[in-house]
Amino acid sequence: MLEKREYYRLPWSMNDNPIAWIEVTDICNIHCEGCYRQYMTGHKPLEQLKDEVEFFIKWRNPDNFSIAGGEPLLHPQITDLVAYIAHKGVKPIILSNGLALEPKLLHDLKKAGLAGFTMHVDSHQNRPGWKNKTEKDHNALRQHIADMVAAEGGLFLIFNSTVYPETYSEIPDIIRWGQANIRIVQGLVFITYRTATTEDNIATDLKDQQVDLKKLSYTRASFHEHFITAPEVHQIIQDNFPEYEASGYLGGSIRHDSYKWLMGAMIGSPHRMYGSVGKRTMEFAQVGHHLQKGRYLAYLTSSRIGSKIFWLSGWDRMVRRARYQRWMDVLHNPSHLFDGVFVQSIGIIQAPDIQPDGRADMCDSCPDITIYDGKFVNSCRMDEYRLFGGFVSVLGKGKNKAEIEP
């Protein structure tokens, strides 16, 4: 069982957070199951996006901009936005499904100042040519994208995957692939699937008026399976990769016992993993970066960290264990001395959980806050603002019925 005192509570807040989530379009070229954005307005004008960049810099203090959508690579002025963000001294990162990525666009984005990509690839994306393929099958697609980005050079790369009950057991297949590509893949993120069901629930707006839950893209008629939790993802990773351990977390906005973000980083080489960074190293990275740069840290720009990570072994017992395993590996295989030492992050995100009173347990200090109507809102629930003017409450049918009928 996870114990919060064993992990570093990430010091992020609304106004001092390393991530700014800027949505450039709600147009996409595929439809992923569980996606919380639907087409309503199309591409945002570049001038509006520049205003949002300034708003974030003023009120958020970000270390990077997560350029999201929809599919941001479809925006006709995406390279101009990347250049504008880079000029402001903040890292531009594109969150993409990779379908529209090709070498010419990749080169132009790198030239404009792009820092890296977070690519979302999983088996429930309705991606052309990939129907009925497993997560292991999708490793071929991940490899294609990783090789393309690596060929351009100078960009970091992280892969996201949504975890469904039927794909939970396939998580190790993704991690094995990631570890084999530790030189060119800086991180993996697993996001647990959540949905609201229209058969069993109703929704009310801020005025307690019933609204049509079916209008939201992240609902479905019914769902009778067990939702996977962040601790369960952590457990299956540890069961298959005992070197792994999380080191930092964000809790929930309602439940004291929830884990909304679990962050860890494994230390290894292309031949094997040696261990993970611990709580102390995570704290050192966050506080040290803030002291040096004035901002907290969300992304390492390079996975090749070298043996200097072991300088922290006297302070961090987890790193000390990894150093020992590294020594043993080199002792038995001297040629491995020249492989280099790399860090690969593994993140686990648990999506909003509906509570019995209709509220959602959100991520405390939400890293993925975006801008709507001149204020910060949780990006995963922005369509509730766009459709209904604010967060809705989701209740089981028959609960407080007299109060919520229209």
Side-chain angles (χ1 to χ4, degrees), residues 4 249-259 355 361:
K4 285 189 174 179
Y249 78 95
L250 289 176
S253 59
I254 298 176
R255 294 180 59 102
H256 67 277
D257 58 347
S258 61
Y259 291 88
Q355 303 302 298
D361 187 30

Side-chain angles (χ1 to χ4, degrees), residues 122-239:
D122 69 53
S123 57
H124 283 233
Q125 287 184 299
N126 301 306
R127 190 184 289 265
W130 292 88
K131 187 176 181 180
N132 299 322
K133 301 289 187 180
T134 66
E135 292 298 338
K136 187 174 183 179
D137 294 333
H138 277 75
N139 284 338
L141 176 58
R142 295 181 180 100
Q143 191 71 55
H144 169 73
I145 295 172
D147 288 343
M148 190 191 314
V149 174
E152 177 61 35
L155 298 166
F156 70 83
L157 180 61
I158 293 172
F159 281 92
N160 286 353
S161 300
T162 303
V163 179
Y164 304 87
E166 61 267 35
T167 63
Y168 170 71
S169 62
E170 299 177 57
I171 290 173
D173 293 325
I174 301 173
I175 295 178
R176 290 187 190 95
W177 172 84
Q179 291 185 351
N181 287 275
I182 196 170
R183 292 181 184 275
I184 59 175
V185 176
Q186 282 71 42
L188 304 170
V189 178
F190 299 96
I191 306 165
T192 64
Y193 174 70
R194 293 293 185 271
T195 186
T197 58
T198 56
E199 273 187 8
D200 307 316
N201 298 287
I202 58 173
T204 60
D205 62 16
L206 297 176
K207 298 179 180 179
D208 288 331
Q209 297 297 306
Q210 188 172 337
V211 298
D212 186 359
L213 194 57
K214 293 178 181 178
K215 289 184 178 180
L216 294 168
S217 62
Y218 43 89
T219 62
R220 52 192 288 180
S222 62
F223 187 82
H224 302 294
E225 298 174 86
H226 163 74
F227 284 135
I228 303 300
T229 65
E232 287 174 314
V233 176
H234 184 275
Q235 188 62 55
I236 196 173
I237 297 174
Q238 271 202 335
D239 289 345

Side-chain angles (χ1 to χ4, degrees), residues 150 301 339 382:
T301 54
D339 290 340
M382 188 173 73

